[in-house]
Amino acid sequence: MATTNDLVTSRPGIKNGDGGTTISPSIYKEPAPIVDKDNPLESMMQRFDRAAEILQLEPGIYQYLKTPVKSVIVSIPIQMDDGSIQVFDGYRVIHNDILGPSKGGIRYAPDVNLDEVKALAAWMTWKCAVVDIPFGGAKGGVRCDPRKLTMQQIEKITRRFTANMLDVFGPNRDIPAPDVNTNEQIMAWILDTYSMHTHRTEPGVVTGKPLVLGGSLGRREATGRGVMHSALRGMDKIGLKPKNATVAVEGFGNVGSISAELLHEQGAKIIGISDISGAYHNPNGIDIAAAIKWSETHNFLLEGFPGGEKITNEELLTLNCDVLVPAAREDRITKRNAHNIQAKLIVEGANGPTTAGADPILESKGVLVVPDILANAGGVTVSYFEWVQNRGGYHWTLDVVNERLATTMNAAFDRVYDTSLKHKISLRLAAYVLAIDKVARVLRLRGIYG
Ligand code: NAD
């Protein structure tokens, strides 16, 4: 008898997604006033429009960059265990591929829809451009509730979805990765199905796959490691030494726990951590190794952690600390609580944790915000390294991966910082300006075919 799958409760750290979140369209000529709609899609599009204005983007290029180059919808019929047939919808959107093959995760969730996937795909375009890797942006998903499916059913869905996307996926065309509710095993099934059809093993068709199948060393920690590099750079800009820094981290999954661990290793004092089950505060410093162990042995929750005083998740965000790392989910710092933030530096491990409405409040308070499309781009950067290793048929050592990640993240931070000085804008807007400018310049050089 088949059992329900463990994808939705997968261990923190085995999800190796490139990351992504949501946007929605607005009008360039009449940028919407900054409002707090608690909608990451809206928030992102407001920032895109402001960056487009700063760049004085031609209306044609603006339209081009807002529109995905390809949106594919497929139906996925699956025979269920009782013999009945159920049909699922599968999506893949390539937002842009002029910098190189498109890159982005695949999510399995009941609320997956075309608009969301389009938005997430655009976000990937900007993220890849910020860190200067030769990828475009894409995203995909299957509308299903993995909690109600067996592993066998998920395997069938994955294989049929891949078979339907044979003309879309490809190591030189479009490269998926894990995202919400997908993991290494699902990447292995995509790799296998694609390879069966092309009659050769194609490890480069997906990233975030198991190490033994061509995954990269360091991929699991890559996003948290990138957050750590961004945090160190940010601390330097505000004249804060890691050994004097106090840090609060929201979210204790892959990104949050690894960011906390690595910042602790750098000498920072982690005084607050949280997850969905609650938040913990210890002004003397939390023992992060003990917290990770506690979570691993308590169903991946911090609940009952004895190493700190229990506070609310909202209190964690406004703790008296130097650095805040939101690494849980979107829309956590809004115009409702931005006034109360005490940190001098925010490093966005999560996608879209700060709404557009909170941006001007944080700016007026002088808080330096390292934006998501820069701070959490370590994941997609090491996905790129994984793909490069697959193409070369060679494994890099962990030291090489980590060293190249540091170089990429630090160079991206410096470019964003210089852009912010040049235009006298926030790091967030600077990251968008840099990304949009890069894609627009390549588009002008390549020209419009047809
Ligand atoms: P995860 O599922 O491993 O961890 C999420 C954590 O957030 C869990 O500890 C969960 O309990 C906690 N959480 C959820 N709601 C919370 C709340 N209201 N308050 C406090 N904690 C809460 O996910 P992850 O992979 O670590 O991703 C976290 C964020 O980082 C997401 O926004 C994701 O899109 C983004 N991201 C992840 C990667 C990656 O490589 N994993 C890459 C780029 C961006």
Side-chain angles (χ1 to χ4, degrees):
M1 176 80 182
T3 54
T4 48
N5 71 81
D6 67 352
L7 295 174
V8 290
T9 56
S10 58
R11 290 163 57 92
I14 66 162
K15 252 190 319 162
N16 295 342
D18 294 337
T21 185
T22 43
I23 59 159
S24 76
S26 68
I27 307 295
Y28 168 47
K29 284 293 171 198
E30 294 172 353
I34 295 267
V35 285
D36 221 15
K37 290 188 176 167
D38 281 2
N39 176 343
L41 314 186
E42 287 289 342
S43 283
M44 176 169 161
M45 225 31 234
Q46 288 177 31
R47 286 135 177 181
F48 173 81
D49 282 356
R50 266 152 214 260
E53 272 184 317
I54 290 167
L55 286 165
Q56 300 192 325
L57 218 54
E58 306 90 301
I61 293 196
Y62 172 79
Q63 274 309 324
Y64 179 93
L65 295 182
K66 276 181 68 171
T67 317
V69 299
K70 190 185 284 184
S71 304
V72 183
I73 305 177
V74 294
S75 72
I76 305 167
I78 297 300
Q79 186 145 33
M80 307 303 280
D81 296 348
D82 63 3
S84 65
I85 292 171
Q86 210 171 316
V87 183
F88 300 89
D89 291 331
Y91 305 89
R92 185 73 178 168
V93 172
I94 294 175
H95 171 257
N96 202 285
D97 59 357
I98 61 167
L99 296 185
S102 48
K103 188 86 192 75
I106 291 180
R107 58 176 54 180
Y108 288 178
D111 54 354
V112 166
N113 62 75
L114 187 60
D115 276 352
E116 182 193 64
V117 177
K118 278 183 182 171
L120 293 163
W123 212 307
M124 288 305 297
T125 301
W126 313 134
K127 200 179 283 195
C128 292
V130 165
V131 281
D132 212 12
I133 55 179
F135 281 152
K139 205 81 184 185
V142 177
R143 197 180 172 86
C144 65
D145 187 349
R147 282 168 304 190
K148 296 184 179 150
L149 296 166
T150 63
M151 281 301 271
Q152 289 84 343
Q153 288 160 350
I154 288 180
E155 179 176 354
K156 281 189 194 177
I157 288 174
T158 303
R159 289 189 181 278
R160 185 65 186 253
F161 178 58
T162 307
N164 286 347
M165 291 289 173
L166 283 176
D167 293 336
V168 178
F169 296 165
N172 296 313
R173 251 192 329 238
D174 177 43
I175 307 143
D179 194 69
V180 176
N181 295 336
T182 59
N183 63 9
E184 294 185 340
Q185 175 60 72
I186 290 180
M187 296 307 109
W189 289 327
I190 294 176
L191 182 160
D192 184 68
T193 309
Y194 186 86
S195 299
M196 287 296 134
H197 282 268
T198 56
H199 305 295
R200 57 177 179 264
T201 298
E202 291 278 16
V205 72
V206 286
T207 62
K209 43 187 183 288
L211 207 61
V212 68
L213 258 181
S216 179
L217 290 167
R219 178 60 190 86
R220 186 183 73 86
E221 307 87 356
T223 305
R225 187 169 286 279
V227 168
M228 181 267 287
H229 289 303
S230 301
L232 294 185
R233 253 341 195 230
M235 285 183 210
D236 185 54
K237 296 298 178 197
I238 61 169
L240 180 66
K241 296 221 174 331
K243 67 176 172 47
N244 298 330
T246 53
V247 181
V249 180
E250 182 192 50
F252 210 66
N254 174 289
V255 182
S257 65
I258 292 169
S259 301
E261 191 177 27
L262 294 177
L263 282 167
H264 176 69
E265 264 177 42
Q266 293 295 322
K269 196 192 280 182
I270 315 298
I271 60 158
I273 54 174
S274 72
D275 71 6
I276 192 76
S277 69
Y280 296 85
H281 177 217
N282 184 343
N284 298 318
I286 289 171
D287 180 343
I288 295 301
I292 290 175
K293 195 158 182 205
W294 181 272
S295 165
E296 281 177 357
T297 50
H298 291 81
N299 208 17
F300 300 101
L301 290 173
L302 288 169
E303 194 159 22
F305 175 60
E309 182 204 343
K310 183 106 190 256
I311 55 171
T312 67
N313 284 10
E314 192 58 32
E315 283 167 341
L316 179 111
L317 294 170
T318 56
L319 270 183
N320 182 10
C321 63
D322 299 310
V323 184
L324 175 64
V325 179
R329 40 158 303 217
E330 66 280 359
D331 289 345
R332 300 295 299 146
I333 302 168
T334 70
K335 65 182 178 190
R336 285 181 291 281
N337 61 4
H339 287 289
N340 302 327
I341 299 280
Q342 299 195 60
K344 306 178 193 86
L345 172 68
I346 296 178
V347 186
E348 295 184 339
N351 283 307
T354 309
T355 64
D359 282 348
I361 301 170
L362 296 172
E363 256 182 277
S364 70
K365 284 164 62 83
V367 181
L368 186 69
V369 180
V370 187
D372 45 11
I373 58 171
L374 169 62
N376 71 34
V380 74
T381 300
V382 176
S383 273
Y384 165 59
F385 295 164
E386 180 177 332
W387 178 79
V388 170
Q389 291 170 76
N390 296 153
R391 285 164 72 98
Y394 193 69
H395 264 300
W396 300 353
T397 62
L398 183 59
D399 282 349
V400 169
V401 171
N402 286 345
E403 196 186 303
R404 289 181 178 170
L405 173 63
T407 305
T408 302
M409 292 302 298
N410 289 336
F413 186 102
D414 292 346
R415 280 193 302 274
V416 170
Y417 195 81
D418 290 348
T419 306
S420 84
L421 292 183
K422 181 177 162 200
H423 293 284
K424 298 187 174 53
I425 51 178
S426 66
L427 292 185
R428 184 186 312 286
L429 215 43
Y432 278 92
V433 164
L434 202 70
I436 295 166
D437 182 49
K438 179 174 179 190
V439 182
R441 276 188 293 124
V442 173
L443 177 60
R444 288 187 203 104
L445 281 170
R446 288 184 58 159
I448 303 291
Y449 176 77

